[in-house]
Amino acid sequence: MAPFTKPEAALKQAEGLVSVGQAHAALQSLTEMFSSKKFRSAPLAVLEPILLRFIELCVDLRKGRTAKEGLMQYKNIAQNSNVGSIEIVIQKFLQLADAKVQEAQEKADKAVAVDVDDLEASETPESILLGAVSGDQSKDRTDRALVTPWLKFLWESYRTSLETLKNNARLEAIYQQVAQQAFRFCLKYQRKVEFRRLCETLRLHLANVAKYAHQTHAINLSDPETLQHHLDTRFAQLNTSVELELWQEAFRSVEDIHNLLTMAKKPPRPAMMANYYQHLTKIFLMSGNSLYHAAAWGRYYAIVTSIGGKSNEEMSRLAGQVLVSALAVPVGQQSEGEGKGKTARLAALLGLTKAPTRAGLLKDALSRDVLRLSPEPIKTLYNLLEVSFDPLTLCASTAPMLATLCASDTPYTGYRPLLTRALLSRLLAQLSQIYSTLTLSALVDLVKPLDGFGAEQIEAYLMGCARRGELRVRVDHASGTISFADEAFTHVDDSSPVLTSAQEAAVQPSAGDVVRSRLSTLAYALHDALRVIESPPETDIEALQNAKFGELVAAANAERHALALRRAIVARRRELLSELSVRKEKEEASRRAEMSRVKKEMDERKEKEEARKRELERARKEIETIRTEETKKLAQDLIKRSGLKVSVDEMEDLSKDRLMRLQVEQIEKEKRDMNERLRVIAKRVDHIERAYRKEERPLLAQDYAEQQAVDLATFEALQKARIENSLVAHKEALAAKKRLSRMLSDFSSYKSTIMAARQEQYQKKLAAVQAKIQEEKEKRVSVLIAEREAERRAREEAEAAARAAEEERLRQEAELRAKEEAEAAKKREEEERAAAARRERELERQAAMEEAKRKAQREQEAEERRAQRRMPEKQSPVAATPWRRPAAPSNPPIPSRTTPPRAESPAPGAAAATPQKYRPGMFGAQRPERSETSVPASNSVSTAPKFRPGETGGAPGGWRQREMEKAALGSSRQTASPATNSAPLPGPKDEDGFEPATKVWRSRRLQGQT
């Protein structure tokens, strides 16, 4: 496309190219227009249709990177004046990409439906082979071929839109809208990997808010509306991650929401927080953290009760959920986490100041009247676990209720394993209160009603409780018993907020409790005895009243003093406020003055910009005039060379592209004519072939009969030979059978003897091998157990290292991507500057070449005038006498010339290179004057009036010597202009000693046309 084309003309040109099927050329023309200054200064009303057409071409051709560059250019132009136009373009881009995905899905469905030839056949041979090779079904292969490329392009479209709209306060609403559309895309097509990348991209954009805070339209998170937009997007992200069952990503989304909530100046909406806690319950349930799962249900129930609007049935179901989640926490369970940091982090996500406990959760639930609203089965379960004390029948009475409560059609299905573990912890806590030693078999019998708990599972649970400090127990495998430790002098940390299972709901005090509370019990008893023995003396009521009155008076005086002090503070604050208001008025005045100054400077810059635009418009008109003239020349040249039929009336409206298109159409027409002629020839050849076959048809029957006769004779001969061979082979086989039948009895006896001996050896070897296999199997089992344990530990360490490495890699890739984009932008700017510098140098070189050409033309005209003045001298008597030069060597030395002669005097030095015919006066006064740098010999020769015979003989110092000196002097000179730097060596001369012009300089555009 030619530079400085109007945007309207560019759009028309693109439409014309699309109409003739050249979509790539149309897209290239619009892309080149974006880099011109005319595009940046055009109004948005003109640019918006162009960009919409550009987006359509990018989507049709799947050019995502090109679309991104165009959107970036348009955003830089329109973000200060019309944000709605950017929204229209972005939405159009996403709608077109989504429509392409829908269209590809429809094509894939039709292809799968039409591809079946036999509707009754379930599988075809081709589908079986493809399924065996690829492992995919036919529809999967069709989707991968048709739908997957467009799905990838749609995903790139969302990423491009987010990158275009990021970190701009004016585009923040559109940015959040596109992000939520991307969430719906991931949910609709189940794109889990893309959803993780999208979440990381959004986190990266949010982290870069502080980095771009100095920009003009930077995002301000302290703005309530902006913060609300971010919260809405993060809640949509949380909902999508829960629906996709990406629980790790859901937990990260919860952390993002919590960080945004800490930045908010006003509390969020209760409905939003209810959604927040509801998703937290799902996340903690999937992670198996029953304690924080119950805490999340408690927070959710508190918010729902404060909002109201729920029916009694919904409140009953919700209350049952809260109570079941609290009962599912094992007795004495401590907060799970790697230290206090993670515990505080989880508590902060729930809005708690400290880690929750099972007792605290149950107490909070009962205070909110949850037990009364819960269903009857849950109330019964609560009474069995928390109120009654019957460890011997606890599991038997609770197991049927758990089976009914946690059925597959109830909302409590996921609580079955949690409630089972809580029941087991409650059983052990109650057993530790009444038994000091218990056999393992008795414990297994008590737990037998619970499915999935055998002796190994119970022992593993006991060891886990002992390791975590929830239960003080020892297991004796020798006697098959377990012992509950109750030592009187064991240290217990009373500052811990979590009670152990032995301390919680104790029926009778343990030995340790008795020892620790003995002194306090004695102190209480002695205090009560003293109060009974020595009653307090009677006091004077009047004196007591006077003392109280004095205290009241002192308190009133203190209050009066505090009130006076508070009044003084208020007065001082008023003074400070007045001073602050005066200071603000001064600052406002200075700010207004600064704004007026800045506005004045902006007006001056605007006037300069308008003047520059006027100058550019004038230059554009001149360029349009030049382009019109060049187009006319090009049309005339095409008419002469290719016979292009163009009327003179249409010559003014034709452009270069249209002329090229007309030429292409003419070539296409000639091609169609050629194809028509080829079709006629092919038809003629077809008729000739038909005639040949028509003549051949009667002869085919005769040839077929002859072939049958030959085949029959051959077949009969082969059959006769086969029968004779078979008879001979049969006779030989009968003779061999008769000969071998005599030794059959000996063979049978020998075979039985060998088989018996080998059978005995086989039995011995089999017994030895089986013993060895059993021994090796036992060794292998022990080694395999050790190896699997080592592999498990190594795998856990490797997974942790891999997760850390993956996070580091993602962070480095994000930084590297940002750095590469900055370097690419910088590189593009440098290339543009270099291109501008090259264009300036090209213009200077062309101007210098034009100047050199004009100078050479002026010198040629001067030489022609001198030649005309020398014409009378050619008629002199000297000219009538033929001059013969003396004998010269056959191969005279030719001086080498490293540089061409100067443009001001190209003729004199060229005569020595090629011998020319002598002309009288050639070395006389007619020789052109040389510059001041010439040698003295040349000056003396230039003053000679004419040539005198006898002076130019073969002696040294003659005219040949002088010509060689001039050639040597010319080789050491520098060229006078850039036009002669690349000139070739001098060629043959004309009669006057000048080189004829063999190549005329033309511009690149004219050279291409020629």
Side-chain angles (χ1 to χ4, degrees):
M1 187 184 70
F4 305 108
T5 303
K6 290 184 179 180
E8 300 88 346
L11 181 60
K12 293 180 181 178
Q13 180 182 357
E15 293 292 348
L17 290 173
V18 171
S19 63
V20 296
Q22 299 182 4
H24 287 278
L27 180 60
Q28 183 65 25
S29 65
L30 293 179
T31 304
E32 291 177 357
M33 188 192 65
F34 292 154
S35 60
S36 65
K37 296 182 179 179
K38 196 68 179 176
F39 176 77
R40 300 185 184 94
S41 61
L44 290 180
V46 177
L47 296 182
E48 184 174 340
I50 298 175
L51 199 70
L52 291 176
R53 186 55 176 163
F54 170 76
I55 290 297
E56 292 177 1
L57 291 175
C58 289
V59 172
D60 292 339
L61 301 176
R62 281 210 298 258
K63 299 290 184 180
R65 187 177 297 274
T66 306
K68 182 178 181 181
E69 295 176 357
L71 289 174
M72 286 292 186
Q73 293 277 356
Y74 189 69
K75 184 199 76 170
N76 296 333
I77 297 172
Q79 65 180 352
N80 295 323
S81 57
N82 191 356
V83 179
S85 179
I86 300 178
E87 181 177 5
I88 292 172
V89 172
I90 293 292
Q91 291 296 338
K92 182 69 173 179
F93 182 37
L94 297 178
Q95 288 174 5
L96 291 174
D98 192 20
K100 288 294 182 180
V101 173
Q102 300 293 337
E103 183 180 353
Q105 284 184 337
E106 293 177 359
K107 288 182 180 179
D109 295 339
K110 292 180 181 178
V112 172
V114 173
D115 197 21
V116 179
D117 296 331
D118 189 1
L119 296 177
E120 295 181 358
S122 59
E123 291 289 343
T124 61
E126 292 82 0
S127 63
I128 293 173
L129 287 175
L130 288 174
V133 173
S134 64
D136 297 334
Q137 298 299 323
S138 177
K139 188 176 187 307
D140 296 335
R141 291 190 294 271
T142 305
D143 290 344
R144 186 166 60 250
L146 297 178
V147 182
T148 302
W150 284 111
L151 271 179
K152 183 179 179 181
F153 180 77
L154 180 57
W155 163 243
E156 291 294 334
S157 303
Y158 281 114
R159 290 187 59 182
T160 299
S161 302
L162 292 175
E163 289 291 335
T164 305
L165 301 172
K166 68 176 182 179
N167 297 326
N168 194 315
R170 304 193 65 176
L171 305 174
E172 184 64 23
I174 314 172
Y175 174 82
Q176 304 298 341
Q177 184 179 356
V178 172
Q180 296 190 17
Q181 289 181 4
F183 291 149
R184 291 193 289 271
F185 159 77
C186 296
L187 182 61
K188 180 179 179 181
Y189 298 103
Q190 295 295 309
R191 309 305 300 177
K192 296 184 179 181
V193 177
E194 285 76 8
F195 178 74
R196 292 192 186 96
R197 293 175 181 171
L198 177 61
C199 295
E200 291 296 332
T201 301
L202 294 178
R203 291 191 190 96
L204 180 62
H205 291 173
L206 185 61
N208 290 335
V209 169
K211 181 179 179 182
Y212 299 103
H214 62 281
Q215 292 184 352
T216 307
H217 303 296
I219 296 176
N220 184 15
L221 291 178
S222 59
D223 185 12
E225 185 177 357
T226 303
L227 189 62
Q228 186 62 40
H229 285 319
H230 279 277
L231 282 173
D232 294 340
T233 303
R234 292 308 183 277
F235 272 105
Q237 176 180 331
L238 177 60
N239 296 335
T240 307
S241 59
V242 171
E243 293 183 14
L244 291 175
E245 297 182 357
L246 297 174
W247 304 111
Q248 186 176 5
E249 200 61 45
F251 185 76
R252 293 181 181 178
S253 302
V254 167
E255 289 183 329
D256 295 341
I257 293 172
H258 176 71
N259 294 333
L260 290 174
L261 289 176
T262 55
M263 299 167 57
K265 296 182 179 179
K266 61 179 182 179
R269 299 190 301 270
M272 184 182 296
M273 293 306 298
N275 186 22
Y276 172 76
Y277 288 121
Q278 185 179 10
H279 287 304
L280 267 180
T281 59
K282 298 179 181 179
I283 295 171
F284 286 130
L285 180 61
M286 294 303 299
S287 64
N289 195 334
S290 58
L291 182 61
Y292 285 94
H293 171 71
W297 271 118
R299 298 289 293 174
Y300 177 71
Y301 182 77
I303 291 179
V304 169
T305 53
S306 64
I307 295 175
K310 297 282 186 180
S311 62
N312 294 333
E313 183 180 357
E314 293 176 348
M315 291 302 296
S316 175
R317 185 171 61 253
L318 184 57
Q321 194 81 37
V322 174
L323 190 56
V324 167
S325 63
L327 291 175
V329 180
V331 177
Q333 178 183 354
Q334 300 181 5
S335 300
E336 297 180 359
E338 300 175 358
K340 295 182 179 180
K342 189 171 182 180
T343 302
R345 177 184 171 193
L346 294 177
L349 291 179
L350 292 171
L352 302 175
T353 57
K354 60 181 181 179
T357 61
R358 185 178 189 276
L361 293 174
L362 286 173
K363 183 179 179 181
D364 183 65
L366 295 177
S367 65
R368 298 182 185 278
D369 204 11
V370 170
L371 184 59
R372 184 182 62 83
L373 297 174
S374 299
E376 287 299 328
I378 299 177
K379 291 180 181 179
T380 306
L381 181 63
Y382 173 79
N383 292 329
L384 289 174
L385 292 178
E386 301 297 328
V387 179
S388 62
F389 189 90
D390 190 4
L392 299 180
T393 61
L394 180 61
C395 294
S397 59
T398 310
M401 187 176 299
L402 287 180
T404 305
L405 186 65
C406 299
S408 59
D409 55 347
T410 60
Y412 311 109
T413 305
Y415 291 97
R416 180 67 180 270
L418 298 178
L419 287 174
T420 304
R421 293 173 64 86
L423 179 59
L424 185 57
S425 65
R426 172 59 69 186
L427 175 63
L428 293 174
Q430 292 181 1
L431 290 175
S432 65
Q433 295 295 319
I434 58 178
Y435 294 107
S436 61
T437 304
L438 184 67
T439 61
L440 282 172
S441 59
L443 182 59
V444 171
D445 293 338
L446 292 177
V447 183
K448 187 178 296 183
L450 299 179
D451 297 334
F453 276 94
E456 296 180 358
Q457 288 80 8
I458 294 174
E459 183 180 352
Y461 183 77
L462 286 173
M463 293 300 99
C465 292
R467 186 179 65 254
R468 293 190 297 269
E470 299 175 4
L471 193 65
R472 302 176 62 82
V473 63
R474 286 193 298 270
V475 179
D476 188 357
H477 289 281
S479 59
T481 60
I482 60 174
S483 301
F484 298 101
D486 188 10
E487 299 177 0
F489 300 99
T490 302
H491 173 70
V492 178
D493 188 8
D494 295 332
S495 62
S496 177
V498 181
L499 300 176
T500 62
S501 59
Q503 292 173 322
E504 188 177 353
V507 177
Q508 58 184 355
S510 62
D513 293 338
V514 172
V515 172
R516 284 194 300 273
S517 61
R518 178 63 66 189
L519 293 177
S520 59
T521 305
L522 180 60
Y524 286 135
L526 291 176
H527 183 267
D528 293 339
L530 286 175
R531 289 185 62 185
V532 172
I533 295 172
E534 296 181 1
S535 60
E538 297 181 359
T539 56
D540 189 1
I541 297 177
E542 185 177 357
L544 186 59
Q545 290 179 353
N546 292 334
K548 290 183 178 180
F549 182 74
E551 292 177 358
L552 289 174
V553 172
N557 292 333
E559 184 68 24
R560 190 179 297 108
H561 180 69
L563 182 61
L565 183 61
R566 191 158 52 250
R567 288 178 179 175
I569 292 173
V570 171
R572 178 59 181 165
R573 287 179 178 175
R574 288 177 180 174
E575 293 176 0
L576 292 176
L577 287 175
S578 63
E579 292 177 1
L580 184 61
S581 63
V582 172
R583 189 182 306 164
K584 285 184 177 180
E585 289 177 357
K586 292 181 179 179
E587 292 177 355
E588 185 67 23
S590 62
R591 188 178 63 83
R592 286 195 297 269
E594 181 68 18
M595 288 179 63
S596 62
R597 184 184 64 79
V598 171
K599 185 178 180 182
K600 185 177 180 181
E601 292 177 357
M602 290 178 64
D603 293 337
E604 293 176 356
R605 286 198 297 269
K606 188 175 180 181
E607 291 177 358
K608 292 180 181 179
E609 184 68 21
E610 291 177 354
R612 187 182 64 83
K613 288 182 179 179
R614 288 193 296 270
E615 183 66 21
L616 290 176
E617 184 67 21
R618 184 185 61 79
R620 185 189 62 78
K621 291 181 179 179
E622 293 179 358
I623 292 172
E624 289 290 338
T625 303
I626 295 172
R627 186 181 295 115
T628 303
E629 294 176 358
E630 291 177 354
T631 304
K632 291 181 180 180
K633 293 179 181 179
L634 178 61
Q636 295 173 0
D637 186 62
L638 291 176
I639 291 172
K640 292 179 181 178
R641 288 192 295 107
S642 60
L644 184 64
K645 298 179 181 179
V646 180
S647 62
V648 181
D649 298 334
E650 296 178 354
M651 189 72 71
E652 298 294 333
D653 298 331
L654 292 177
S655 62
K656 285 186 178 181
D657 296 329
R658 189 176 177 188
L659 288 172
M660 292 296 180
R661 190 161 58 249
L662 290 175
Q663 187 180 11
V664 169
E665 290 176 357
Q666 186 172 355
I667 294 173
E668 290 292 335
K669 183 179 179 181
E670 294 175 357
K671 184 178 179 180
R672 287 195 299 271
D673 296 337
M674 178 62 69
N675 290 335
E676 181 64 23
R677 288 195 296 272
L678 292 176
R679 187 186 65 80
V680 174
I681 294 172
K683 187 175 181 181
R684 187 181 301 112
V685 171
D686 181 68
H687 289 171
I688 293 172
E689 182 65 19
R690 288 183 181 182
Y692 287 159
R693 294 190 180 185
K694 185 176 181 181
E695 294 295 327
E696 182 186 23
R697 189 177 301 167
L699 302 176
L700 291 177
Q702 181 180 356
D703 182 77
Y704 179 72
E706 294 176 356
Q707 186 67 30
Q708 277 185 335
V710 173
D711 292 343
L712 180 60
T714 304
F715 173 75
E716 290 175 353
L718 291 175
Q719 282 291 101
K720 185 177 180 181
R722 185 179 63 81
I723 291 171
E724 292 175 355
N725 292 333
S726 298
L727 291 174
V728 172
H730 180 64
K731 292 178 181 179
E732 292 176 354
L734 290 176
K737 178 180 179 183
K738 184 178 180 180
R739 186 176 65 253
L740 296 175
S741 61
R742 292 176 297 176
M743 62 181 71
L744 180 61
S745 58
D746 297 333
F747 168 77
S748 301
S749 60
Y750 181 76
K751 178 181 178 182
S752 60
T753 304
I754 294 298
M755 292 299 294
R758 290 185 179 179
Q759 182 67 23
E760 184 179 357
Q761 294 177 1
Y762 170 76
Q763 293 296 333
K764 292 180 181 180
K765 291 183 180 180
L766 180 62
V769 169
Q770 287 180 350
K772 188 175 181 180
I773 288 174
Q774 186 64 28
E775 182 182 357
E776 292 295 329
K777 187 182 296 184
E778 293 174 356
K779 292 181 181 180
R780 180 58 181 166
V781 167
S782 60
V783 173
L784 186 61
I785 291 173
E787 287 178 354
R788 287 183 178 177
E789 182 64 23
E791 288 177 358
R792 183 185 62 80
R793 290 195 296 269
R795 185 168 60 254
E796 292 176 352
E797 294 175 357
E799 289 176 355
R803 286 194 297 271
E806 182 65 16
E807 293 174 355
E808 181 66 17
R809 185 184 66 79
L810 292 176
R811 183 184 65 78
Q812 291 179 358
E813 286 182 355
E815 294 177 355
L816 182 61
R817 194 181 304 111
K819 184 177 179 181
E820 289 177 352
E821 291 176 356
E823 291 177 355
K826 184 176 179 181
K827 185 176 180 181
R828 286 196 298 272
E829 293 178 357
E830 292 176 355
E831 291 177 352
E832 291 176 357
R833 289 197 296 268
R838 286 196 299 270
R839 288 194 295 271
E840 292 178 358
R841 289 196 299 270
E842 182 66 22
L843 293 175
E844 292 175 358
R845 188 182 67 82
Q846 292 178 1
M849 293 175 68
E850 291 289 343
E851 181 64 22
K853 183 179 179 181
R854 289 194 298 271
K855 188 176 293 184
Q857 185 176 2
R858 287 196 299 271
E859 290 177 356
Q860 184 177 1
E861 292 174 357
E863 290 298 329
E864 291 176 356
R865 288 194 298 270
R866 292 191 188 98
Q868 291 176 1
R869 287 195 298 269
R870 288 195 299 267
M871 288 298 293
E873 296 177 2
K874 293 182 179 181
Q875 306 297 330
S876 61
V878 178
T881 303
W883 174 80
R884 298 182 181 273
R885 59 185 178 182
S890 60
N891 293 322
I894 299 175
S896 62
R897 301 189 57 177
T898 58
T899 56
R902 294 177 60 87
E904 291 83 357
S905 58
T914 304
Q916 299 291 334
K917 181 180 179 181
Y918 171 74
R919 294 184 305 277
M922 180 176 179
F923 301 99
Q926 290 82 5
R927 181 181 296 125
E929 296 180 358
R930 299 184 60 84
S931 61
E932 295 179 0
T933 59
S934 302
V935 296
S938 62
N939 290 336
S940 62
V941 173
S942 63
T943 57
K946 62 181 180 178
F947 171 76
R948 291 187 294 274
E951 294 182 357
T952 59
W959 65 272
R960 288 188 178 85
Q961 182 67 24
R962 288 195 299 270
E963 292 297 327
M964 292 172 62
E965 290 175 356
K966 286 187 288 183
L969 181 62
S971 64
S972 62
R973 290 182 181 178
Q974 299 294 332
T975 56
S977 65
T980 61
N981 286 341
S982 59
L985 292 175
K989 310 296 188 299
D990 57 6
E991 294 180 354
D992 297 330
F994 291 93
E995 294 179 6
T998 59
K999 184 177 181 181
V1000 182
W1001 179 85
R1002 292 185 177 88
S1003 63
R1004 290 185 178 180
R1005 182 167 60 253
L1006 295 179
Q1007 289 177 8
Q1009 294 174 3
T1010 305

